[in-house]
Amino acid sequence: MTFAVTAAETPLLELVGLTKRYSGPPEVDVLKGVSIQISGGEMVAIAGPSGSGKSTLLNILGLLDEPTHGLLKIKGRSAIGLSERDRVRLRATEIGFIFQSFHLVPYLDTVQNVMLPLVHQGRRGDRRARAVGALQRVGLGHRLEARPTTLSGGEQQRVAIARALVHDPPLILCDEPTGNLDAANTSAVLDLLRNLVAADRAVVIVTHEAEVEARADRVIRVMDGHAV
Ligand code: ADP
Ligand code: MG
């Protein structure tokens, strides 16, 4: 018998015994020991009632916040205790973030918004072409010069999806991405997110909507500080 060890066996994301305490007052233990693995090729929903700690968990996964205790590994490398500079760099290469309220920059047009992750990476040269390609991929190749405020909610979220994929990160993290959208746009956004899943890429969606859960490959439920 032979045992082949391939890169695919290392989870994209691994959490062990992760805790988060907000020091308050009042002091709150939001996460009390969360252990999860997420692999490439998965679309995972993180579900749970409001206030259960879903956003806290996603922000830790996305290196926007630090856990109180526990291990967090991205592609097998520890992402805890990094210098601010290394954390920013890791986030710029490994993570794309999508928010409920889009978080587009109002005074930039769609191409400039989508180029931002490439600017943060310090990438030169093909930035504009890549941003245009990402916008075409979400069906917005005809709105390259539009300001976000002139777009519908569904269109704005598609710009945000283009911005999350333009630098080709292995992890796409979404916090209630369909929370401000009607049923038709929710479905379109979920189709786009599903299309981003690849062997070397996972999409993680925080949600409390049944439709989003139904479309995920796996649902992680956050309850009383634990994930089940
Ligand atoms: P969810 O996204 O599931 O609604 P959150 O992760 O936003 O939940 O919040 C979980 C709990 O942590 C809530 O009780 C919230 O009030 C509390 N919380 C969130 N952020 C902070 C903070 N910065 N300081 C103190 N408490 C916080
Ligand atoms: Mg939340």
Side-chain angles (χ1 to χ4, degrees), residues 29-43:
D29 287 309
V30 182
L31 304 175
K32 300 174 185 166
V34 171
S35 300
I36 323 178
Q37 291 195 354
I38 293 173
S39 303
E42 287 192 290
M43 181 152 119

Side-chain angles (χ1 to χ4, degrees), residues 37-191:
Q37 291 195 354
I38 293 173
S39 303
E42 287 192 290
M43 181 152 119
V44 178
I46 297 179
S50 180
S52 58
K54 303 183 298 296
S55 294
T56 299
L57 178 58
L58 199 75
N59 290 342
I60 292 171
L61 300 185
L63 309 179
L64 297 172
D65 196 1
E66 292 233 292
T68 305
H69 289 293
L71 296 181
L72 166 61
K73 287 184 180 178
I74 296 178
K75 295 201 285 199
R77 281 181 48 208
S78 174
I80 302 279
L82 302 178
S83 68
E84 184 59 19
R85 189 163 164 237
D86 286 346
R87 198 146 73 112
V88 167
R89 187 178 300 161
L90 194 62
R91 195 160 66 218
T93 55
E94 307 297 335
I95 290 159
F97 231 111
I98 297 168
F99 301 91
Q100 175 171 359
S101 47
F102 323 131
H103 288 205
L104 300 175
V105 181
Y107 53 84
L108 299 179
D109 68 23
T110 55
V111 177
Q112 291 166 332
N113 266 283
V114 173
M115 280 167 57
L116 284 177
L118 304 174
V119 174
H120 290 146
Q121 278 188 343
R123 239 187 124 96
R124 311 208 168 269
D126 59 349
R127 294 198 294 220
R128 190 178 169 85
R130 286 176 63 119
V132 170
L135 282 161
Q136 286 167 341
R137 184 157 175 197
V138 300
L140 286 175
H142 60 299
R143 300 308 304 272
L144 301 179
E145 261 95 59
R147 292 291 169 100
T149 49
T150 68
L151 300 173
S152 72
E155 287 170 334
Q156 289 184 56
Q157 196 58 303
R158 279 149 63 196
V159 174
I161 293 172
R163 182 181 57 187
L165 70 86
V166 71
H167 54 306
D168 202 23
L171 273 170
I172 302 221
L173 306 179
C174 317
D175 196 347
E176 307 271 8
T178 59
N180 288 357
L181 303 180
D182 62 18
N185 279 304
T186 292
S187 186
V189 160
L190 290 173
D191 286 343

